[in-house]
């Protein structure tokens, strides 16, 4: 792109009528050279509220340097982050999924409002990552997503720790298996500094997915947040964004049906977070692509889990980086014919990027599809009496294919957590947490406080949990989320009573119960909506079913179903 080439930012920098706009830009430090170049938004989710994002302010400077070296003009904006780990188990968690929409909307407004030519988005905590991809797909401009990286493990008495260990320690403490001093020691040691939560939880799952999708440069997200290589990756990503802006390569060139399938394959093969079942359809919807959640189930039947990562496995994201990172993981899948070759933000194809993967001798984190950690993938989509629109079962790390037991019914997370903490949940129970869906919550809270407390009491895999809410990437056990339609929308989960026998057949992909559903529905009194005011009520009115990604812009697939 040259000074004479038409570009979006000409709308604020070119011609006599734009003298007032240029005057204000000059006051902000821009000059004629800046106006002649592509003007690129650096959208930063930096915040001091969470270690996931607290270092992104420092990474913005090498991003700026890379943009300038590439002949582009950096224009800085900030947007919000809501920390899942901090808000978990409380009212604040209702804001987490809603923040995904707010972040995407704010990026759209800042970029469109100022007629900018491209964008690079710096991300860390869970919802900032899919929100960034959603915004780029919606805007259909050149740009990429740069992930700030994982936190390093904490260490206590020679044992690596993550935030998962703190949540599970709460359960052990409630059971009486851990005293105050032990809980305090784990709390203080688990999170040593900057970076997103350290296992194959939602942040690292989605960062891997975006790299496989091509909208994040391969390898850029792999170095941990505090690794000395991170600044060099930031600079590289800035320069790549400038190249995309000059060439006019739009983000939708990377968000395609094939690349979304690659991303879903990565989620399944890494035993990744169930939240990806919300986020990938939402990204697809912004690009005008129908991406049914059944894709995850189809892949899970043929794609094995090939990483031994927490929460179900032994290792953390730092260990994956040392083993060979996402390139090694992706190469194993590509060599097995499980990926399609697609364009990436580096200008090279996915397979060309993966061909350069290097494996650390003796690593145990990444296996081959021929010798997997688990023969089938980490996610399954279940239907049946309780979930006509589907529900998501996280299977990584557990071999059980069926479960049957009495329903323990709770209207909301707090009531369930209190029962777990009081030791009222027994092996064989099917715990049901309802009225936590996208609209009914509102906000579709994560249930990590509950699942971790159950795990901390030694009941992971011995208790089934079904909810119309969702799970943290750190959750593990026999857990089923996104049960749709949700209770607040009249879904069957609202009609289950305490003691009903619930049957889960993971192989047949069903959740059923011997209930006279017509009689139950006739006797059912709908629960009043949970009104919190402001953005929460606005979201509750607009949000789609979890089966369609819980978006506030009607996705293509939902429109087709209507």
């Amino acid at each position: 792109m040259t000074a004479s080439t038409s570009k979006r930012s000409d709308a604020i920098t070119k011609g006599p009528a734009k003298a007032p706009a240029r005057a204000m830009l000059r006051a902000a430090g821009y000059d004629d050279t800046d106006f002649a170049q592509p003007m690129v938004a650096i959208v930063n989710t930096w915040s001091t509220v969470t270690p996931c994002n607290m270092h992104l302010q420092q990474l913005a400077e090498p991003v700026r340097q890379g943009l300038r070296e590439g002949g582009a003009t950096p224009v800085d904006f900030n947007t919000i982050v809501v920390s899942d780990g901090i808000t978990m188990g409380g009212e604040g968690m209702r804001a987490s999924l809603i923040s995904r929409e707010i972040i995407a909307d704010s990026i759209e407004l800042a970029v469109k409002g100022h007629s900018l030519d491209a964008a690079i988005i710096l991300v860390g905590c869970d919802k900032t990552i899919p929100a960034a991809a959603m915004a780029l797909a919606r805007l259909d401009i050149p740009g990429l997503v740069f992930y700030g990286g994982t936190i390093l493990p904490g260490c206590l008495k020679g044992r690596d720790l993550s935030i998962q260990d703190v949540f599970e320690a709460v359960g052990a403490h409630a059971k009486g298996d851990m005293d105050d001093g032990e809980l305090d020691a784990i709390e203080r040691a688990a999170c040593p500094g900057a970076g997103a939560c350290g296992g194959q939880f939602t942040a690292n799952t989605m960062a891997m997915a975006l790299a496989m999708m091509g909208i994040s440069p391969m390898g850029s997200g792999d170095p941990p947040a505090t690794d000395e290589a991170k600044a060099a990756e930031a600079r590289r990503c800035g320069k790549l964004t400038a190249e995309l802006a000059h060439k006019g390569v739009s983000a939708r060139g990377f968000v395609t049906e094939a690349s979304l399938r690659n991303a879903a394959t990565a989620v399944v093969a890494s035993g990744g977070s169930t939240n990806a079942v919300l986020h990938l359809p939402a990204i697809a919807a912004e690009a005008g692509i129908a991406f049914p959640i059944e894709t995850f189930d189809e892949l899970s039947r043929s794609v094995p889990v090939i990483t031994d990562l927490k929460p179900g496995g032994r290792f953390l994201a730092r260990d994956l980086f040392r083993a060979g990172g996402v390139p090694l993981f992706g190469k194993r899948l590509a060599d097995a014919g499980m990926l399609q070759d697609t364009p990436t933000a580096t200008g090279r194809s996915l397979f060309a990027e993966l061909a350069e993967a290097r494996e650390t001798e003796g690593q145990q984190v990444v296996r081959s599809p021929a010798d997997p950690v688990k023969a089938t993938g980490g996610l399954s989509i279940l239907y049946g009496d309780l979930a006509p629109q589907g529900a998501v079962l996280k299977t990584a790390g557990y071999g059980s294919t069926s479960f049957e037991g009495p329903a323990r019914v709770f209207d909301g997370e707090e009531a369930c957590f209190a029962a777990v903490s009081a030791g009222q949940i027994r092996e064989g129970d099917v715990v049901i947490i309802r009225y936590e869906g996208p609209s009914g919550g509102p906000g579709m809270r994560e249930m990590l406080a509950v699942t971790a407390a159950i795990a901390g009491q030694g009941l992971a895999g011995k208790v089934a949990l079904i909810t119309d809410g969702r799970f943290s990437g750190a959750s593990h056990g026999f857990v089923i989320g996104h049960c749709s339609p949700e209770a607040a929308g009249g879904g069957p989960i609202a009609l289950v009573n305490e003691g009903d026998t619930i049957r889960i057949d993971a192989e047949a992909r069903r959740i059923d119960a011997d209930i006279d559903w017509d009689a139950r529905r006739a006797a059912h009194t709908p629960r009043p909506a949970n009104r919190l005011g402001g953005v929460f009520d606005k979201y509750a009115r607009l949000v789609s079913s979890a089966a369609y990604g819980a978006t506030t812009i009607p996705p293509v697939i939902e429109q087709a179903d209507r």
Side-chain angles (χ1 to χ4, degrees), residues 212 218 306 324-339 350-351 353-359 366-367 369:
M212 300 298 282
M218 181 60 65
I306 64 168
V326 175
L328 174 63
F329 166 77
K331 187 174 188 302
R332 291 282 167 85
L333 295 174
D335 288 347
M338 294 178 177
L339 299 176
L350 178 64
F351 286 4
E353 291 288 342
L354 298 179
E356 296 187 353
R358 297 291 179 266
E359 180 175 1
V366 182
R367 307 263 288 265

Side-chain angles (χ1 to χ4, degrees), residues 72-415:
T73 302
V75 183
D76 287 89
F77 296 94
N78 214 66
T79 187
I80 65 166
V81 58
V82 174
S83 167
D84 288 39
I86 295 170
T87 62
M88 195 74 67
E91 286 292 300
M93 172 48 77
R94 301 189 192 284
S96 170
L97 186 58
I98 299 174
S99 77
R100 186 188 73 178
E101 312 306 305
I102 303 300
I103 295 163
D105 290 351
S106 67
I107 295 169
E108 177 190 16
L109 290 172
V111 172
K112 272 196 171 180
H114 297 93
S115 302
L116 299 177
D117 300 297
I120 177 170
I121 306 170
L122 280 62
V123 297
C125 196
D126 295 8
K127 304 309 169 291
T128 64
I129 305 172
M134 289 166 65
L136 288 174
R138 184 189 303 176
L139 287 162
D140 196 21
I141 61 170
L144 58 82
V145 181
F146 175 49
Y147 174 49
T150 183
I151 195 171
L152 292 175
C155 186
L156 183 65
K157 299 178 181 178
R159 174 191 170 203
D160 282 350
L161 298 176
S162 74
I163 193 66
Q164 175 186 345
D165 296 287
V166 187
F167 279 102
E168 292 183 7
V170 172
H173 180 268
K175 188 182 177 185
D177 291 345
M178 182 179 292
D179 62 27
D180 291 349
E182 291 175 290
L183 177 60
D184 181 70
I186 291 173
E187 171 194 327
R188 293 177 185 276
C191 299
C197 298
Q200 191 65 350
F201 310 152
T202 303
N204 286 317
T205 296
M206 290 308 301
M208 175 187 281
L210 295 198
M212 300 298 282
M213 193 186 300
I215 203 166
S216 286
M218 181 60 65
S220 63
D222 287 13
T226 56
D227 192 279
E228 61 182 14
K230 206 70 198 182
E233 288 296 341
R235 183 175 173 183
R236 177 170 79 104
C237 286
K239 199 166 184 178
L240 285 170
T241 307
E243 290 178 14
L244 293 171
H246 280 288
K247 294 175 180 176
V249 178
S250 163
R252 288 198 189 180
F254 310 125
V255 184
T256 65
E257 188 172 348
S259 74
L260 285 159
R261 189 177 176 87
N262 285 344
T265 300
V267 173
V268 167
S270 66
S273 171
T274 55
N275 279 314
V277 183
L278 288 175
H279 298 325
L280 291 182
I283 295 167
E286 298 290 359
I289 299 169
F291 194 75
I293 61 173
E294 287 81 10
T295 304
F296 291 92
D297 192 77
E298 174 203 338
L299 291 169
S300 279
R301 293 177 185 270
S302 59
V303 175
V305 177
I306 64 168
T307 62
D308 193 2
L309 292 169
K310 289 180 179 292
R314 295 179 292 164
F315 298 106
L316 294 165
R318 184 275 314 267
D319 304 310
L320 175 61
F321 170 59
R322 290 179 173 177
V326 175
L328 174 63
F329 166 77
K331 187 174 188 302
R332 291 282 167 85
L333 295 174
D335 288 347
M338 294 178 177
L339 299 176
Q340 300 176 62
D341 200 11
T342 54
T344 77
T346 67
R348 304 199 309 161
S349 76
L350 178 64
F351 286 4
E353 291 288 342
L354 298 179
E356 296 187 353
R358 297 291 179 266
E359 180 175 1
T360 300
E361 185 176 355
Q363 68 85 20
Q364 300 178 46
V365 184
V366 182
R367 307 263 288 265
S368 75
D371 179 31
V373 174
K374 187 172 178 290
T376 55
L379 300 175
S380 297
I381 306 300
L382 310 186
Y383 292 92
D385 294 343
L386 261 68
Q389 289 183 348
V392 184
L393 169 65
K394 187 169 188 175
T395 60
Y398 291 87
S400 299
T401 59
S402 63
F403 201 104
E404 182 173 322
R408 301 296 312 280
V409 181
F410 301 94
D411 290 348
E413 180 187 11
E414 286 82 1

Side-chain angles (χ1 to χ4, degrees), residues 30 39-43 67 73-77 116:
Y30 299 95
M39 300 189 74
V40 178
I42 301 176
V43 183
L67 282 168
T73 302
V75 183
D76 287 89
F77 296 94
L116 299 177

Side-chain angles (χ1 to χ4, degrees), residues 18-32 34-35 39:
K18 298 306 176 184
R22 288 193 298 274
M24 295 194 72
L25 288 166
R26 292 183 195 282
Y30 299 95
D31 60 23
D32 290 343
D34 295 322
F35 301 152
M39 300 189 74

